[in-house]
Amino acid sequence: MRATSGVGGRTRLWWNPGFWFGSTALAVLLLAPIWFWGAFSGGLDVAETCALQAGQEYDQDYRSEHWRETSQAFPLHNRCNADYDLVPAWVNPTLAVLAVVVAGSLVATLVTTTVHVRRALARRRGPSTAAA
């Protein structure tokens, strides 16, 4: 299925289901490694990472009090103490934007595919049954 031609012969990609499917796939391909980057920031030994790489004090009392933060899928947090998070600040907003892009592109894929299928079926039936 080809995209329809717009004014001046420019292609309107937003009517092409393949464009939206490609957008969905690209967003998922970006979303997965960014989530893993955030989820595994801090490494295996968080206390050592806080002290050596971040130069922050590891607060065991704070972490044991907020133990659920490190186990949730979103928003991602891996705090050394109340003031410092090993998960970079850009990770959670990027994940949120990409999730919205995935959802929107998936809906657009379904809508444009439905429109294309209905048009193809109407063309097969012929002009006499399409007008009825």
Side-chain angles (χ1 to χ4, degrees):
M1 292 181 207
R2 296 177 63 192
T4 58
S5 180
V7 177
R10 294 190 334 196
T11 303
R12 294 188 296 173
L13 289 176
W14 53 88
W15 285 111
N16 185 349
F19 170 76
W20 292 110
F21 181 76
S23 298
T24 304
L26 179 62
V28 168
L29 287 174
L30 291 172
L31 186 100
I34 291 172
W35 185 85
F36 278 107
W37 179 284
F40 295 108
S41 62
L44 297 176
D45 189 354
V46 177
E48 186 176 296
T49 304
C50 289
L52 296 178
Q53 289 182 358
Q56 295 290 320
E57 180 183 333
Y58 180 76
D59 187 355
Q60 181 60 41
D61 293 334
Y62 177 84
R63 285 188 58 95
S64 58
E65 189 176 318
H66 298 92
W67 62 272
R68 289 188 183 135
E69 280 187 359
T70 58
S71 62
Q72 29 182 48
F74 185 81
L76 297 172
H77 292 290
N78 196 1
R79 298 185 188 273
C80 294
N81 51 49
D83 299 323
Y84 190 81
D85 195 351
L86 291 171
V87 177
W90 58 270
V91 169
N92 287 318
T94 304
L95 291 175
V97 168
L98 287 172
V100 169
V101 169
V102 167
S105 295
L106 196 56
V107 167
T109 300
L110 296 174
V111 168
T112 55
T113 301
T114 303
V115 167
H116 278 273
V117 167
R118 286 186 178 181
R119 285 181 182 170
L121 289 175
R123 278 193 302 265
R124 271 194 196 159
R125 290 184 197 142
S128 61
T129 58

